Amino acid sequence: MAYIEWPGTIPYQTFRDGWGCKPFRDPIETEMEAGNVRVRPRTDGNVAVVKWGREMNQAEVDAFIEFTRDTLSLGTARFLMPVSINGVTYEARVVQIVANSTQLVAVSPFITMVTLDLLVFLTIATS
C-alpha cells in the first residue's frame, strides 16, 4: 500500500520538550457494576504513541493545516513521516494522528506551537 508522505515544506523534527513516547498503547478498561475494573490488552500491540510538538512560522502552519485538512482527510489518514521512537534518531514510519490531539497555540505574533499525538505503527512495511 502506498502512503502519503509528510511534506518537505514542514519540519518533522520535534522539539525536545515536545517529544514523548509510550512504547505501547494503554490496555482497554471496562467498568464493572461491582468489583474491579476489567483490564485487557489491545490486539494492536505493535503501536507506539509519540507526542510531537514544535514551533512553526505562519507559512509552515498554513502548510500543516492544508496537509492535515485536505491531504489527510481532516487528519484521519495514515501517512509516512520521519519520527523518533528513542528521542534521538528519526526513521520513516507509518503514522496516524490521534483524534482530538492536535493543538495550535500562539507563542508570538509570528510563531505558533503545534502539538499532536501520533500512533506509530512499528511493524507495517513503509512501501
Side-chain angles (χ1 to χ4, degrees):
M1 174 179 208
Y3 292 98
I4 300 164
E5 292 187 30
W6 182 258
T9 57
I10 308 170
Y12 62 85
Q13 300 95 340
T14 184
F15 283 160
R16 172 63 68 188
D17 293 344
W19 181 85
C21 181
K22 188 185 284 190
F24 52 86
R25 293 175 70 189
D26 291 334
I28 299 169
E29 292 186 356
T30 304
E31 292 283 332
M32 307 301 279
E33 280 205 29
N36 296 335
V37 173
R38 180 178 176 202
V39 179
R40 58 196 185 283
R42 294 182 180 269
T43 57
D44 58 356
N46 289 319
V47 177
V49 180
V50 171
K51 292 195 171 295
W52 184 92
R54 72 168 294 118
E55 292 179 347
M56 294 185 187
N57 63 36
Q58 191 58 51
E60 293 166 340
V61 170
D62 292 343
F64 172 78
I65 290 171
E66 181 180 335
F67 177 68
T68 54
R69 182 188 59 221
D70 301 336
T71 309
L72 296 181
S73 302
L74 299 174
T76 59
R78 293 181 182 180
F79 58 100
L80 280 175
M81 178 181 180
V83 294
S84 178
I85 299 297
N86 61 10
V88 179
T89 57
Y90 286 83
E91 182 179 338
R93 296 187 183 266
V94 176
V95 300
Q96 185 174 12
I97 298 171
V98 174
N100 301 317
S101 70
T102 304
Q103 293 186 354
L104 283 71
V105 177
V107 175
S108 76
F110 308 106
I111 301 295
T112 301
M113 174 61 80
V114 178
T115 60
L116 51 87
D117 293 344
L118 293 169
L119 294 179
V120 180
F121 299 89
L122 302 174
T123 58
I124 293 179
T126 59
S127 58

